[in-house]
Every structure is written in C-alpha cells, then in structure tokens.
Amino acid sequence: MPDTTPAKKALLEVDDVTIKFGGLTAMDSVSFQIREGEILGLIGPNGAGKTTCFNVMTGVYQATSGEVRLDGVSLAGRRRHKITQLGLARTFQNIRLFKSMTVLENVMVGADAHSKVGFFDALFRLPRHRRTEEEALAKAKGLLDLVGIKARHDELAANLSYGEQRRLEIARAMATGPKLLCLDEPAAGFNPAEKVQLMQLIKKVRDQGYTVLLIEHDMKLVMGVTDRIVVLEFGKKIAEGTPAEIRDNPAVIAAYLGVDEEDAS
Amino acid sequence: MSAMSTTLSGIGRRWDGVVDRYNALPKPARLGLVILFAAFVYLLPLLRPPILTTNNIDFGGVMFSVAAFALVAVGLNIVIGYAGLLDLGYVGFYAVGAYTTGVLTTYHWHWPFFLALPLAIAVTMVTGVILGAPTLRVRGDYLAIVTLGFGEIIRITVKNVEWVGASAGIKDISHPNTIGAAPNPPFDRGGMFDVPRLQWDGIIPSLDRDHPTAVLAFGAVDAIPYYWVILTALILVLVGDRLVKSSRVGRAWEATREDEDAAELMGVPTFKYKLMAFALGAAIGGLSGAFYASGQGGYISPDSFPLLLSMLFVAAVIVGGSGNRWGAIVGGALVAYLPERFREFADYRLLFFGLALSVLAIWRPEGLLPPRRSRRAKAVEAEIEALEEGALEGSTHA
Ligand SMILES: Nc1ncnc2c1ncn2[C@@H]1O[C@H](COP(=O)(O)OP(=O)(O)O)[C@@H](O)[C@H]1O
Ligand SMILES: [Mg+2]
C-alpha cells in the first residue's frame, strides 16, 4: 500500500493554511501532504472548506497565513495560470466549461497551457505552430478517448449531457499536463452506477501516473478508491489516515452523522 | 412576428449552405471561385450594377466608405466578438490613425503615404496598449466606460491642440503617390492606364468611355483607386485574422470570453491575450483611419470623429453577428451603404436605423450572420424544446 511507504516524497504540501472571509474562518491551520502517485480523498460535510482549499491551492484565494508548496516551490502570490503551468490542474464543483466552444477545443485550451506559440507563429504559420497544434490535437483526442467522450468531440460543450460535461472537465484539466489533478466532487449529481464508473476512470487516471486529489461527498465511494483520506469539518482537519482508519474514527463518524440524516431526508 | 424571425434565421441557414457547398468543392474550384469573387468585388464600382449603384452620390466614394467600415468592423470584431471586450471608443483609434497620417504626410512633415501608414498603425497600436494595460486588468464594465471616455478625450484633445490643427483640422492632406505616369494637372490624371466603366440602360450594359478611371492615380476626382487600396488592405487583414483566429491565440481569446476565471485556471494568460486583442483591434482601426485621412477628401477635423461613429462601429459588429468575420463585413458594409443608397430619406436616417436595430434585437439578437457555433447551439436548443414538448404531450396522453 502506498500509505505505508513514507519514502515516497510529498508532491504537494498544504502548510498551516488559514483563510478568513470576514468573521468566518473557512480554513483553520490546515496542514496535509499529498504523495506522488496516490489518490488522496478530501472529505467533510458541506461547507467544511474543501472547495476553499482548492481555491487557495490554485491561486483563486490568497491564504491569510500559511502556504502551499508544489514540489517544494511555494505557490503563494503566483498568478493562476502560472500555478497551472507549474503542474496543478483542477475541475470545478459547478461545471465551468467554455460552453460555446467545441468539446475538442475545450480540451485543446488545456493542452495549450505549455504552448510557446505566439501571434507571429500563428500569423506566418511557422513550423512551431504546426508542430504544437498537431501535438495538442493528438493529446486532446487521446484524453477524450480516455474519459469516454471521443465520439462527441465536434459537439458544443453546452450540448453535452451533464455526465459528459463532468468528464470533459476532467479531460480539460488533464490536458494541462498536471503533476497533481484536483477533482472537486466529480461525481456530484451522478446515480450510483455512474459514480462507480467514474471511480474506475479515476483509478485509470492514477494508473497513468497522475497524482489525484479527490473531493467527494459519498463516504462509501471514497473508501473504495482512495489511498488516504483527509477529513475537514468547519475548516479544521479532524482526521487523516487510511480508509480503514477513517472509517473507525469516532470524530469522523460524529461529523458525518448529520450528513447521514441529510441523505436520508 | 414569427415570419420575421424565420426570414432572419433563413439568412443564417442559407449562408451555412453556401459555406458547406464551398467547402465541399475541390481545391482548384475553390481557388477559382475566390478569384472570381474577388475580381467582382474589385470591379464593382466600375460595373455599376443597377439598383445597387447609388445615383445621387459618387458610387466609388460610397464603396470606399463601405470598405472602410468593413475594415473597422473586422478589427472591432476581434475585440468584441473574439475576446469579448466591449470597446465603446473605437473611433478614438480611428482618429489617432487619421491624425498621425495627417501630421506625417502634410501638417508637419511630408512623408509619402505608404511610409506614414506603418507608423500610423504602430502609433495606434501603442495607444491601444497604453489604454489597455491598466484597464484590462480590471474586470467588468470598466472597459466600456474607460473606452467611451477615451473616444471623447481624443476628440476634445485634437480640438484644442494647435499642433494638430485644433478645430480647423488638417486640410489638403497629401494623397498617396500615383503609381504609373505622374499626373499633369489640370487634365491629365496620370496613372498606369485608363479603364472605362459600364452604364446601364435598364438591364442592357454598355461601355461608358466618358468617365474612365485612371488606374492607381490618387487624385481628388476619382475615389475608385482609393477603394482598391483599402479593399486590398481589408483582404490582407482578413487573411491574417483567419490565420490567427484558428490557432491557440484564437482559442485563448474565446476561452477568456467564455469564462475568464476558468481560462486562467486552465493556463491561459488572459491579460496578455486581452491586451493582444485590444492592441490588434486598435491597429486595424488606425489603419482604417489612415486611409480615411489621405482619402479622396483629404480633410480631417475633430468633427470627423464624433461619439456617434463609435456607436455605429459597435452596431456594425453586433448587426453582422459578433464573432463572425463575414458577419462583421456585412454589418460594416450595411451601416455604411444603406444611408447613402437611401439619401432621399436622409432626414429619417437615424429613425430607420433605430427601428432596424430594434427589429434585430427582438428577432435576431445574435446578429445577421452569427458564428456558426451560436447557430448550432440555437438549433440544438430548439430540438430539445421540441423533444420536451413531445415528451409532455406523450405523458398527458398516457
Ligand atoms: N468567497 C467567499 N466569501 C465568503 N465566504 C466564503 C467564500 N468562499 C467560501 N466561503 C465560505 O467558506 C465555507 C467553506 O465553503 P466551501 O469550501 O465551499 O465548502 P465545501 O467543503 O462544501 O466545498 C462556507 O461557509 C462558505 O460559505
Ligand atoms: Mg465544495
């Protein structure tokens, strides 16, 4: 099991991060690490600060204190597109695709993240444009194939079904060539069968060498797919460990009792 | 009411048909068609087709302003249509290009036009960068407000600065050098050779040798050579627009327009691309303004660049179909052409214009020729709607 091999180095370190919105502390001295090659689950009840954690990592919000490091490099104060270029890519809990672009174009925007092609390369069709364009196209098609929506590549993103849009978000994020792929509730709104399929896809993605940070609400699902789990509640980390450890953790059970009721209603 | 909307959307579908049929042709046939079409457009002011030709006003001059407006619309389409930046002061760039040309070729120096042109473009582009760099960092409606102010500031500035002629403007701006034999006033216009134009008796054409055009003679009498030059510029800009749009640059623009935050988080340096679109748009506006300044009239003044012109430019892009370069051309051409063609109704021009805009806004808000994608999205919406209605009916029957 990856969780028992401390030799694996930390790819991402969230180091004592606090962020406040006015009087609300959305993250309160949160620290955890993600190791290369693992799937880390980030769970917690609604409003626990999971999405906020993504937003701090990807430069959408600035941490009030503490910092996030990727491969030992601090991400504090860096521009968002630079953070993506450094190797951090994400999907959105509320789907945010480029709706009036085609499916293929959406993924190619991601693939352009490291492109050096500029205005003059394009205007004069310099070899660099051709080469980069071909590479991006091949990469985008490969990823669409991986997530299973290749047949829809010429469709407008807005015309995809909900499930297809979620998959497109994953393909677009992967196209940026990330070291760490952050998925924000990628299975939200799915039925159980679709959820299982998605978890299989996430395992497949990890097997291709990606490290994955997964926010997911459904405990059972998270248990099945993650190597380790970090639990947030009210902006604080209340537990961290293997799925087995988390399952038996009394604090986690207490935090999730409310959620069970919510699910039942 | 729905008849109106069917007619209007019919335009889009017919245009799709034309594009599809064109794309299905083998390459030599396509090349042939393009050459034929280009030749027709170049020769239009000589062919003087009935109905299309304006009778009360020089048709060559009208065609020149049609091409100038189309050029402006293509430039503004990059800013508004591709990158989604609402620029309400585009006339400011038009004026900067025009005044740079006036100053360089006539008022302070005597540069030949084709030497002044690149500098006019460069100056306008730099103006765009200076205006865009601080404002494009801010999101939202600030850009619209700042550009609106910019257009007015440029006009008021030139009105008060003696160095650029103040309110009297710049008169007798040098024309481009005639290519071919030098003109020998008052009767010999010079140029390479003369071409006759057509005259029409009903639908019967005949040669009209009394009004020849001296090819590439740039004088005060004949606007047609100016039309040819600006048309050439328009074609070059179109080719460049197409090449740049169908690359990562075009994708970056569109992604930024669709969702700026998401674009940034997918690695798009959105500020850089917004500034690029803004500067390119400015440069094309400046190019157009340079042609205007040293055109047939050869006169510019602060009154040549009213705020209304900015609104007309934006209207041209929106009417044509924001985001589609052919739509922009059609929009620009219509906005320039219709008032000249229907001069008899000159008093009601703005009224008609307002009515036409309202009709369009109600029945075809996406413009006459929107980009294919918005048409496709509309079609899918309609399909889904039809399906849902069908499903509902099915369930009530059950
Ligand atoms: N931009 C913001 N301004 C104010 N409050 C915010 C902002 N973003 C998140 N919050 C608050 O922070 C808390 C954590 O939210 P979030 O991270 O979205 O939770 P979740 O774990 O469900 O993803 C919530 O109380 C939310 O209202
Ligand atoms: Mg969330």
Side-chain angles (χ1 to χ4, degrees):
Chain A
M1 294 295 292
D3 56 275
T4 53
T5 49
K8 283 237 170 175
K9 79 178 210 294
L11 177 63
L12 183 105
E13 299 157 86
V14 174
D15 188 0
D16 199 22
V17 168
T18 297
I19 179 165
K20 293 184 178 149
F21 299 112
L24 179 91
T25 307
M27 284 177 79
D28 192 352
S29 303
V30 173
S31 299
F32 62 90
Q33 297 189 344
I34 302 169
R35 300 167 198 167
E36 225 160 71
E38 74 176 345
I39 301 180
L40 182 77
L42 184 60
I43 67 171
N46 255 331
K50 306 181 296 289
T51 299
T52 303
C53 182
F54 269 28
N55 283 334
V56 170
M57 284 162 54
T58 53
V60 176
Y61 298 152
Q62 295 299 322
T64 311
S65 68
E67 69 171 14
V68 178
R69 286 184 296 273
L70 182 69
D71 256 346
V73 180
S74 169
L75 301 181
R78 279 178 206 270
R79 310 275 302 279
R80 298 171 196 179
H81 67 269
K82 292 278 185 212
I83 292 177
T84 307
Q85 286 165 1
L86 281 174
L88 203 64
R90 66 178 285 181
T91 64
F92 299 90
Q93 182 174 353
N94 313 308
I95 300 173
R96 291 182 74 167
L97 291 167
F98 308 125
K99 287 202 168 118
S100 59
M101 299 175 79
T102 67
V103 168
L104 188 66
E105 284 169 338
N106 265 273
V107 185
M108 284 183 80
V109 169
D112 290 335
H114 296 278
S115 167
K116 298 209 159 31
V117 171
F119 175 74
F120 291 103
D121 298 289
L123 182 62
F124 299 114
R125 285 294 186 256
L126 300 182
R128 179 155 70 179
H129 164 82
R130 257 273 283 294
R131 199 171 358 99
T132 317
E133 199 76 358
E134 276 166 9
E135 283 167 10
L137 193 66
K139 186 177 189 182
K141 289 208 162 143
L143 286 170
L144 286 175
D145 199 20
L146 179 77
V147 302
I149 53 172
K150 192 175 174 199
R152 307 277 276 159
H153 73 273
D154 202 24
E155 197 55 69
L156 292 185
N159 296 341
L160 293 187
S161 73
Y162 179 77
E164 288 170 331
Q165 292 195 5
R166 285 242 175 254
R167 285 164 181 268
L168 176 54
E169 279 236 333
I170 296 174
R172 183 179 66 173
M174 287 175 74
T176 65
K179 293 173 186 160
L180 174 64
L181 183 63
C182 304
L183 307 175
D184 196 346
E185 302 204 23
F190 279 14
N191 66 36
E194 288 171 326
K195 281 191 177 182
V196 170
Q197 276 177 4
L198 192 82
M199 291 307 142
Q200 279 161 356
L201 173 63
I202 292 171
K203 276 188 177 161
K204 204 157 77 179
V205 167
R206 193 265 306 272
D207 293 343
Q208 296 216 338
Y210 290 89
T211 308
V212 179
L213 174 58
L214 172 68
I215 295 182
E216 174 52 56
H217 222 72
D218 188 327
M219 274 284 251
K220 230 186 287 167
L221 224 57
V222 178
M223 296 293 163
V225 72
T226 52
D227 299 310
R228 289 188 313 123
I229 293 174
V230 169
V231 189
L232 295 182
E233 189 192 20
F234 298 125
K236 285 201 175 82
K237 183 172 92 174
I238 57 167
E240 175 174 2
T242 63
E245 289 161 4
I246 295 297
R247 192 178 2 235
D248 300 332
N249 186 312
V252 177
I253 295 169
Y256 262 83
L257 274 178
V259 173
D260 281 340
E261 274 167 14
E262 216 176 78
D263 282 353
S265 65
Chain B
M1 161 169 170
S2 72
M4 176 73 85
S5 98
T6 347
T7 321
L8 285 171
S9 65
I11 298 173
R13 234 172 302 121
R14 219 159 299 149
W15 174 255
D16 278 353
V18 171
V19 172
D20 286 340
R21 242 170 294 153
Y22 169 81
N23 283 333
L25 290 173
K27 202 164 185 183
R30 275 189 302 191
L31 193 68
L33 267 184
V34 166
I35 291 173
L36 217 65
F37 179 68
F40 172 74
V41 176
Y42 270 99
L43 292 178
L44 205 54
L46 293 176
L47 297 174
R48 302 175 64 80
I51 301 175
L52 204 62
T53 303
T54 49
N55 296 317
N56 307 332
I57 176 167
D58 174 42
F59 186 49
V62 172
M63 287 307 294
F64 174 81
S65 30
V66 163
F69 260 73
L71 183 57
V72 165
V74 167
L76 192 54
N77 180 50
I78 295 176
V79 184
I80 296 183
Y82 297 167
L85 307 166
L86 188 53
D87 182 347
L88 295 180
Y90 204 59
V91 74
F93 299 120
Y94 194 63
V96 169
Y99 268 93
T100 308
T101 310
V103 163
L104 283 177
T105 64
T106 309
Y107 208 62
H108 288 287
W109 292 278
H110 296 284
W111 291 29
F113 171 74
F114 286 105
L115 205 63
L117 184 63
L119 198 69
I121 296 172
V123 168
T124 321
M125 194 179 224
V126 170
T127 312
V129 170
I130 291 172
L131 182 67
T135 39
L136 291 171
R137 288 191 192 279
V138 192
R139 302 272 178 92
D141 304 329
Y142 290 98
L143 186 70
I145 296 163
V146 169
T147 50
L148 192 67
F150 166 73
E152 276 299 273
I153 287 169
I154 291 287
R155 192 179 62 82
I156 293 165
T157 306
V158 294
K159 198 170 186 138
N160 289 292
V161 173
E162 283 301 331
W163 196 75
V164 294
S167 40
I170 303 180
K171 281 193 281 286
D172 301 322
I173 298 175
S174 314
H175 301 298
N177 290 331
T178 289
I179 296 168
N184 187 8
F187 298 116
D188 179 11
R189 278 177 287 165
M192 295 189 285
F193 51 87
D194 283 0
V195 285
R197 67 186 202 189
L198 291 185
Q199 60 189 1
W200 296 77
D201 183 14
I203 52 161
I204 320 282
S206 60
L207 279 186
D208 171 4
R209 294 185 185 282
D210 298 336
H211 303 95
T213 289
V215 172
L216 296 188
F218 299 100
V221 181
D222 194 351
I224 295 176
Y226 297 97
Y227 166 70
W228 286 331
V229 174
I230 198 169
L231 181 61
T232 308
L234 173 62
I235 290 171
L236 290 177
V237 166
L238 270 180
V239 170
D241 176 76
R242 191 194 163 113
L243 290 170
V244 172
K245 174 76 194 318
S246 63
S247 76
R248 74 84 53 108
V249 178
R251 282 195 294 271
W253 283 337
E254 288 200 291
T256 306
R257 179 196 67 206
E258 292 290 303
D259 187 333
E260 194 164 343
D261 291 312
E264 254 168 38
L265 289 166
M266 293 306 134
V268 179
T270 54
F271 172 70
K272 175 178 149 189
Y273 281 99
K274 286 195 292 184
L275 192 59
M276 189 191 287
F278 199 69
L280 280 175
I284 295 171
L287 169 73
S288 205
F291 281 116
Y292 173 72
S294 49
Q296 188 192 13
Y299 169 60
I300 53 174
S301 79
D303 297 334
S304 320
F305 307 99
L307 189 63
L308 180 68
L309 210 50
S310 275
M311 300 304 135
L312 282 180
F313 293 159
V314 174
V317 173
I318 309 279
V319 165
S322 188
N324 180 357
R325 60 180 78 86
W326 294 105
I329 290 178
V330 169
L334 284 181
V335 166
Y337 174 78
L338 290 180
E340 301 298 351
R341 175 66 181 79
F342 299 104
R343 279 231 154 181
E344 343 25 324
F345 308 108
D347 290 346
Y348 306 102
R349 255 150 76 161
L350 281 177
L351 180 67
F352 278 127
F353 191 67
L355 275 177
L357 272 184
S358 313
V359 165
L360 214 61
I362 294 167
W363 283 295
R364 196 156 169 83
E366 67 273 35
L368 291 172
L369 284 184
R372 172 162 274 207
R373 60 196 56 204
S374 22
R375 263 172 279 148
R376 218 168 40 170
K378 274 234 146 179
V380 170
E381 266 167 34
E383 225 170 82
I384 291 173
E385 234 166 67
L387 278 175
E388 279 173 349
E389 272 168 28
L392 280 178
E393 274 164 30
S395 66
T396 46
H397 280 294

